[in-house]
């Protein structure tokens, strides 16, 4: 080492830079992971000491009471999004990946459709909520309603589902498609039985993450779903529907401790919901990866 | 498989009437119907995003038109947000009905949106690159995997919960233990005066920027991590064989290899920060009509203003308040579209440059 030091006087500087680089990357990770743990732990620590299971089975009274209506409302919204946005998003992804005609130079086609998906995926959610309010709730006289909330929420997550479906389909080896065609399979049949079947875990993972996003959304719902302390009624129009994020947002700055409990309880339930969805998405990915490695 | 092959009627062999029995003909018909269903369904579905987006923009523009006509360019420079007297009879100016004394200017909102997003990006980019490096190059797999999942969880936490934590936990902590220390110990020179003065109660510009940074770090870090994993080993090993330290390999090989991808991810994160609503509405203080005098002061953004003002704007019978919110929403939408299209262009260029071989 001493020889190196003599011939390259910058060695100490380079070594210091190397140490700095290692330290910096670990520090950055700590600065990201630390607040993430702090955040989840902070909600758990606030919510758990006052946690009562009856929260799940009693109706809300605004700033006190339970969250049964909100939990069921969130689940209804998620189910609706799964049907509406799931259907549209998966079909869009399949179309953009498999069916659209590629351009002359081999680049993927569907230019303007793809741009719209990209732009919509970054579109501010509150602007969608505003348009839902003025166009659907007021303009079409739907009032605060399940349908308005579903349409706006779906518009928000469709791009996400479309993109994840498309990337799942792109990971299906071209050999599969060629093999299916060589066997004389009709296009639709090959698509269903070979291509989509192989991409299914990726598609489902994207759907689960999109559901987690939809369940945690607030801004597009505040002025489309309204608020209600009653159980969801499954009426599509004129009936407001409650959801968990609403109680986090309205009760956190109320003066009573009960309101704070409601806020933190709703946050805890949301975190558990999101974790369940993300962990199951993770498990699907891990399982299919193991499967893929074993067949290789 | 070229598109020409795929576009052929795939059932031709099966449905050939000269050779097939009735049964195969029926099977062929079913397959033709199935293909048509896939194509038709896909075509309809993939037009829904663009139709929805166009409708949203049209509604926004129609709603904003009275405000645009009455406010003119003053909307961008004014900083008042006065709904006017809604009890007095409405007056008509330039053909637009509005309450007496209504006066709107969006400069504080626009500037606040830009400020918070820039703070967020400036903090988030180095943190994300460091995190991605630690996850891909420094840590062993058994540690990197759970920590990587933690970052993914952070991406999935609802923004309203991050806002709740930001306003009740992080903000008070910072305003008690961190901000005073910074504000009191910085030298009083021109560039740093922005960091001095009253530190407030933890709701404001810097807290919003920090919370936004925490929200966009997962986006940038996850993309950067995936990009780093795509950098082939050979150039890195070559650089190391030439005697580079790992810091030099990272700085001269790994990061340049995926630079435009990182820039694209950063711009996407910027877009997310511009449009983020709930967390900012909770931690910014949502104070209208004020450009933050120092970095700790309360302020508001376009998104936070829309979410906190739409309720009261709906009580303006002339619709002028709603119209002003639409105009600010239009500005926000324009910002987000510009940013997204730019990110898309950058990412597309990067995917051509950064993936030289082996990606079908």
């Amino acid at each position: 080492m001493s020889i190196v030091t003599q011939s390259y006087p910058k060695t100490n500087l380079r070594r210091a830079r190397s140490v700095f680089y290692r330290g910096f990357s670990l520090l950055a990770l700590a600065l990201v992971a630390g607040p993430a743990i702090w955040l989840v732990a902070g909600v758990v620590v606030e919510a758990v000491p006052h946690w009562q299971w009856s929260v799940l089975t009693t109706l809300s009274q605004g700033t006190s009471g339970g969250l049964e209506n909100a939990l069921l409302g969130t689940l209804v919204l998620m189910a609706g999004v799964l049907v509406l946005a799931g259907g549209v998003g998966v079909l869009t992804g399949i179309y953009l990946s498999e069916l659209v005609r590629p351009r002359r130079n081999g680049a993927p086609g569907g230019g303007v459709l793809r741009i719209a998906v990209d732009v919509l995926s970054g579109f501010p959610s509150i602007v969608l909520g505003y348009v839902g309010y003025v166009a659907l709730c007021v303009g079409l006289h739907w009032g605060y309603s399940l349908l308005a909330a579903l349409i706006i929420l779906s518009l928000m997550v469709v791009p996400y589902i479309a993109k994840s479906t498309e990337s799942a389909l792109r990971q299906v080896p071209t050999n599969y498609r060629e093999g299916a065609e060589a066997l004389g399979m009709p296009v639709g049949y090959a698509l269903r039985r070979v291509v989509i079947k192989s991409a299914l875990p990726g598609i489902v993972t994207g759907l689960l993450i999109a559901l987690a996003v939809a369940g945690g959304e607030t801004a597009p719902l505040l002025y489309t779903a309204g608020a209600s302390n009653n159980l969801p009624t499954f009426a599509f129009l004129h009936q407001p529907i409650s959801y968990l994020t609403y109680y986090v947002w309205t009760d956190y700055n109320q003066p009573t401790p009960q309101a704070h409990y409601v806020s933190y309880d709703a946050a805890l339930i949301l975190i558990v919901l999101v974790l369940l969805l993300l962990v199951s998405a993770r498990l699907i990915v891990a399982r299919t990866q193991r499967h893929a490695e074993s067949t290789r | 498989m070229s598109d020409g092959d795929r576009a052929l009627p795939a059932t031709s062999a099966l449905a050939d009437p000269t050779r097939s029995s009735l049964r195969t003909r029926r099977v062929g018909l079913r397959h033709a119907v199935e293909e048509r269903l896939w194509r038709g369904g896909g075509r309809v579905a993939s037009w829904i995003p663009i139709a929805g987006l166009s409708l949203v923009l049209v509604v926004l523009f129609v709603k904003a038109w009275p405000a645009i006509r009455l406010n003119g360019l003053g909307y961008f420079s004014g900083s008042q947000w006065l709904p006017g007297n809604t009890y007095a009879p409405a007056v008509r100016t330039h053909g637009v009905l509005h309450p007496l004394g209504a006066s709107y200017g969006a400069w504080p909102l626009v500037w606040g949106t830009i400020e918070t997003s820039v703070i967020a990006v400036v903090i988030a980019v180095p943190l994300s690159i460091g995190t991605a490096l630690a996850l891909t190059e420094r840590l062993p797999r058994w540690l990197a995997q759970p920590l990587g999942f933690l970052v993914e969880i952070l991406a999935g936490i609802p923004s309203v919960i991050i806002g709740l934590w930001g306003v009740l936990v992080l903000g008070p902590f910072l305003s008690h233990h961190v901000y005073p220390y910074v504000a009191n110990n910085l030298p009083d020179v021109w560039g740093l005066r922005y960091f001095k003065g009253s530190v407030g109660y933890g709701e404001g510009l810097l807290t919003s920027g920090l919370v936004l940074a925490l929200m966009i770090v997962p986006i940038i870090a996850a993309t950067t991590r995936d990009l780093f994993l795509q950098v082939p080993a050979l150039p890195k090993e070559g650089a190391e064989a030439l005697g580079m330290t790992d810091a030099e390999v990272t700085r001269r090989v790994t990061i340049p290899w995926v630079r435009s991808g990182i820039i694209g991810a950063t711009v996407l994160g910027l877009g997310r920060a511009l449009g983020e609503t709930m967390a900012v509405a909770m931690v910014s203080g949502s104070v209208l009509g004020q450009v933050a005098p120092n970095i700790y002061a309360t302020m508001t953004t376009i998104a936070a203003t829309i979410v906190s003002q739409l309720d009261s704007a709906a009580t303006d019978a002339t619709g002028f308040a709603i119209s002003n919110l639409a105009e600010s929403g239009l500005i926000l939408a324009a910002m987000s579209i510009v940013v997204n299209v730019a990110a898309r262009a950058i990412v597309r260029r990067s995917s051509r440059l950064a993936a030289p071989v082996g990606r079908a």
Side-chain angles (χ1 to χ4, degrees):
Chain A
M1 206 37 103
S2 60
I3 303 170
V4 176
T5 316
Q6 278 164 13
S7 38
Y8 299 103
K10 273 191 183 168
T11 297
N12 280 332
L13 179 66
R14 294 176 64 205
R15 190 175 295 141
R17 272 193 188 149
S18 193
V19 168
F20 170 79
Y21 150 76
R22 291 175 188 186
F24 166 76
S25 63
L26 292 180
L27 179 71
L29 180 62
L31 283 178
V32 173
I37 294 170
W38 188 12
L39 165 66
V40 176
V43 171
V44 171
V45 163
E46 287 286 335
V48 165
H50 308 287
W51 178 259
Q52 288 168 326
W53 288 101
S54 61
V55 164
L56 299 179
T57 53
T58 40
L59 291 180
S60 171
Q61 291 153 10
T63 55
S64 61
L67 289 164
E68 188 194 8
N69 50 332
L71 177 60
L72 288 177
T74 293
L75 292 178
V76 167
L77 283 169
M78 281 160 81
V81 164
L82 185 63
V83 173
L84 202 61
V88 172
V90 169
L91 273 176
T92 305
I94 292 173
Y95 185 75
L96 288 181
S97 164
E98 303 295 316
L99 298 174
V100 85
R101 193 178 295 267
R103 275 188 285 174
R104 283 279 166 76
N105 57 8
V112 68
L113 304 176
R114 226 176 276 270
I115 293 175
V117 169
D118 273 353
V119 167
L120 200 55
S121 76
F123 208 75
S125 57
I126 183 62
V127 177
L128 291 180
Y130 173 93
V131 169
Y133 173 73
V134 296
L136 303 179
C137 300
V138 177
L140 296 178
H141 304 291
W142 287 0
Y144 290 139
S145 59
L146 177 59
L147 189 59
L150 275 184
I151 288 176
I152 293 303
L153 205 52
S154 297
L155 206 52
M156 231 196 85
V157 295
V158 154
Y160 187 84
I161 299 174
K163 278 183 172 179
S164 63
T165 302
E166 198 189 339
S167 73
L169 287 168
R170 289 215 180 282
Q171 281 168 15
V172 175
T174 316
N175 298 350
Y176 286 24
R177 301 188 181 87
E178 286 168 355
E181 200 169 343
L183 289 172
M185 283 190 200
V187 173
Y189 184 81
L191 189 60
R192 174 161 54 90
R193 292 298 294 270
V194 177
V195 180
I196 295 179
K197 201 177 169 191
S198 333
L200 204 55
I203 297 176
V204 173
T205 305
L207 282 175
L208 289 177
I209 296 177
L211 276 187
V213 171
E217 238 355 287
T218 321
L221 294 179
L222 281 173
Y223 295 103
T224 52
S228 154
N229 287 336
N230 300 317
L231 288 178
T233 56
F234 296 98
F236 276 109
L237 297 180
H238 307 299
Q239 290 288 331
I241 183 166
S242 60
Y243 43 95
L244 286 166
T245 47
Y246 173 82
Y247 290 98
V248 182
W249 160 247
T250 47
D251 284 352
Y252 83 95
N253 56 3
Q254 297 297 319
T256 60
Q258 280 81 12
H260 275 224
Y261 299 162
V262 170
S263 196
Y264 273 111
D265 283 351
L268 181 67
I269 299 173
L270 272 169
I271 286 184
V272 170
L273 266 183
V274 166
L275 271 182
L276 280 178
L277 288 167
L278 291 184
V279 166
S280 34
R282 212 27 178 350
L283 286 179
I284 293 175
V285 170
R287 230 186 119 150
T288 47
Q289 270 174 359
R290 199 176 58 204
H291 181 67
E293 271 164 13
S294 67
T295 53
R296 206 171 283 159
Chain B
M1 176 161 62
S2 81
D3 181 63
D5 299 335
R6 221 187 283 172
L8 278 176
T11 52
S12 57
L14 280 173
D16 185 354
T18 59
R19 290 176 51 189
S20 61
S21 67
L22 193 64
R23 185 179 149 73
T24 52
R25 214 180 304 168
R26 206 178 300 144
V27 170
L29 183 69
R30 208 174 64 208
H31 286 145
V33 168
E34 184 183 357
E35 186 190 340
R36 190 152 303 174
L37 279 179
W38 279 117
R39 284 189 191 280
R43 195 165 297 145
V44 170
S46 59
W47 276 96
I48 288 179
I50 193 169
L53 186 66
S54 318
L55 276 178
V56 164
L57 289 176
V58 166
V59 168
L60 213 53
F61 191 78
V62 168
K63 275 284 161 188
W65 182 239
I68 295 174
R69 252 192 345 175
L70 192 55
N71 293 328
L73 283 176
Y75 193 65
F76 290 96
S77 55
S79 57
Q80 290 171 312
W81 198 271
L82 304 172
N85 186 352
T86 48
Y87 296 105
V91 289
R92 195 176 283 276
T93 318
H94 303 308
V96 176
L97 203 63
H98 65 91
L100 190 66
S103 167
Y104 292 91
W107 173 242
L109 319 182
V110 175
W111 184 237
T113 306
I114 295 172
E115 272 183 317
T116 48
S117 307
V118 167
I119 293 176
V121 166
V122 166
I123 296 170
V125 167
L127 283 187
S128 305
I129 294 179
T131 302
L133 283 174
L135 290 177
T136 51
E137 314 223 324
R138 298 246 55 87
L139 292 177
R141 210 180 142 88
W142 61 268
L143 199 56
Q145 236 168 12
L147 284 173
F149 186 50
L150 188 69
V151 175
E152 279 172 36
I153 290 176
L154 187 57
I157 302 261
S159 62
V160 73
I161 294 182
I162 298 189
L164 179 75
W165 172 77
V167 69
L168 295 183
V169 180
L170 181 70
F173 172 81
L174 291 174
S175 71
H176 285 126
H177 302 293
V178 181
Y179 293 168
Y181 183 79
V182 176
N184 295 333
N185 288 299
L186 279 178
D188 193 9
V189 293
W190 181 80
L192 293 176
R193 207 158 289 160
Y194 202 53
F195 292 86
K196 300 187 75 70
S198 164
V199 298
Y201 302 98
E203 293 184 10
L205 176 55
L206 184 55
T207 315
S208 306
L210 288 170
V211 164
L212 279 179
L214 193 62
M215 299 181 72
I216 64 173
V217 155
I219 302 170
I220 307 177
T223 315
T224 310
R225 181 186 61 175
D226 293 350
L227 287 169
F228 282 161
L229 289 175
Q230 283 174 18
V231 177
L234 269 180
K236 288 195 281 188
E237 287 168 359
E240 213 153 315
L242 289 173
M244 284 193 187
T245 64
D246 48 4
E248 286 161 348
V249 173
T250 300
R251 201 164 70 87
R252 297 188 184 280
V253 180
T254 311
I255 292 181
W257 200 278
V258 295
R259 176 172 289 140
S260 43
I262 297 177
I263 295 173
T266 303
V267 182
L268 279 182
L270 174 66
R272 185 63 58 89
L274 289 172
E276 174 48 44
T277 313
M278 303 313 294
V280 179
M282 289 162 97
V283 299
S284 66
S286 289
V287 172
L288 284 164
Q290 173 189 329
V291 169
N294 71 5
I295 200 165
Y296 312 105
T298 53
M299 35 72 68
T300 190
T301 65
I302 296 176
T305 303
I306 297 178
V307 79
S308 58
Q309 297 301 309
L310 187 50
D311 245 340
S312 54
T315 61
D316 181 348
T318 60
F320 189 61
I322 289 258
S323 180
N324 274 283
L325 289 181
E327 187 175 357
S328 62
L330 207 55
I331 298 174
L332 181 60
M335 286 161 101
S336 121
I337 289 174
V338 166
V339 161
N340 268 287
V341 169
R344 186 185 141 85
I346 295 169
V347 170
R348 196 176 42 195
R349 206 180 55 190
S350 84
S351 66
R352 254 208 319 267
L353 291 178
V357 272
R359 261 167 48 119

